[in-house]
Amino acid sequence: MTATPRPGPPAAAAAAAQHRARAAGPALPRAPPPAPTPAPAEKDRTDSNVRMAVTLEEAPWLGWILVKALMRFAFMVANNLVAIPSYICYVIMLQPLRVLDSKRFWYIEGIMYKWLLGMVASWGWYAGYTVMEWGEDIKAISKDEAVMLVNHQATGDVCTLMMCLQDKGLVVAQIMWLMDHIFKYTNFGIVSLIHGDFFIRQGKSHRDQQLVFLKKHLENNYRSRGRKWIVLFPEGGFLRKRRETSQTFAKKNNLPFLTHVTLPRIGATKIILSALVARQENGSPAGGDTKELDSKSKGLQWVIDTTIAYPKAEPMDIQTWILGYRKPTVTHVHYRVFPVKDVPLETDDLTDWLYQRFTEKEDLLSHFYETGTQCPVTYIPEATPSSKGVL
């Protein structure tokens, strides 16, 4: 039977405890208690402080970008308020010349039109947006009639081409643009209407009617106004809007599956070729290296396959071009020239030909986005005047 010790006085109990501690040896140090986990609200406040610090560091740079954008916008508004009304006034004043000598009138109008497009191109140049051109030399055919088939990614494509074509002789003065009808309602819309550009309304419900209008427009305005080049975006819309529809169509019809471009639409290209390609006596198309016909115009002679590539696949819109808030960028443009006699005019053959061109664009863009450089694609270069070759 074990006896239970009787409780002693407090002093005796303390002494006994001290004696037991000495007998047990020195006490091991205790680990500090874990820090309490911050509450969600406290954590959010910490993250906000970090973000605020980063924002404050970037504030001077962001402030400068904002001030610069506002200054550019104000300058361009003033620029448009002077340049566009001046263009309109000169066109009105020259109407008697249009009656007496239509050819000279449209030549003068084209020169003024080129100045206006040069003004737009300068906006991008001052912001550090420049162009690197690759492929074949299109300046060598600037005096011939040609159609440019261009991939379409954003509104900045038009501005990029304005910059590219400024040094190609009188091309800009004698060009006709085929663009989305939304451009009609921009500040430049009235100028394009006077110049004779064609605005296409997109959508399946409008497609057939628009092709009829395009044919009539070419008959009435192309050669009568001394036009020689046409810019066409065969995809029929921006890449981001048409890519999914194009890929779905490609899967259903066992066609090339494209990511960086979309399958082109045939209608406008066929109308242009049918209306503008001159015919020889045997009915074959005249163009390229064929002998000059007896008529005043040799007709459409060249098809220029044009590919626009933006670094990191980030297209530039017209707002960026105007406000200049993106860092300086070099846009790459690749040209390949085909004599029109080598382009099929029948619908099925023309469809296959266009699909092949856009498949080549896909390969070219894929390589560019992966490496940052242009490359040759798997085709044999056609014979063209003063060709630089394909890079």
Side-chain angles (χ1 to χ4, degrees), residues 6-20:
R6 297 174 62 187
Q18 186 177 3
H19 176 73
R20 287 194 299 271

Side-chain angles (χ1 to χ4, degrees), residues 36-49:
T37 303
E42 183 179 352
K43 185 177 180 181
D44 290 343
R45 285 196 299 272
T46 303
D47 293 343
S48 298
N49 290 336

Side-chain angles (χ1 to χ4, degrees), residues 91 93-106:
V91 169
M93 291 169 58
L94 290 171
Q95 287 303 306
L97 178 62
R98 183 178 181 179
V99 176
L100 298 173
D101 190 344
S102 176
K103 182 178 179 180
R104 187 173 299 276
F105 169 83
W106 287 115

Side-chain angles (χ1 to χ4, degrees), residues 146-148 175-176 178 218 222 228-232 272 276:
V147 56
M148 299 185 76
I175 204 167
M176 177 182 287
L178 272 64
L218 292 173
Y222 182 75
K228 287 194 172 183
W229 280 39
I230 295 183
V231 178
L232 172 65
I272 291 171
L276 302 181

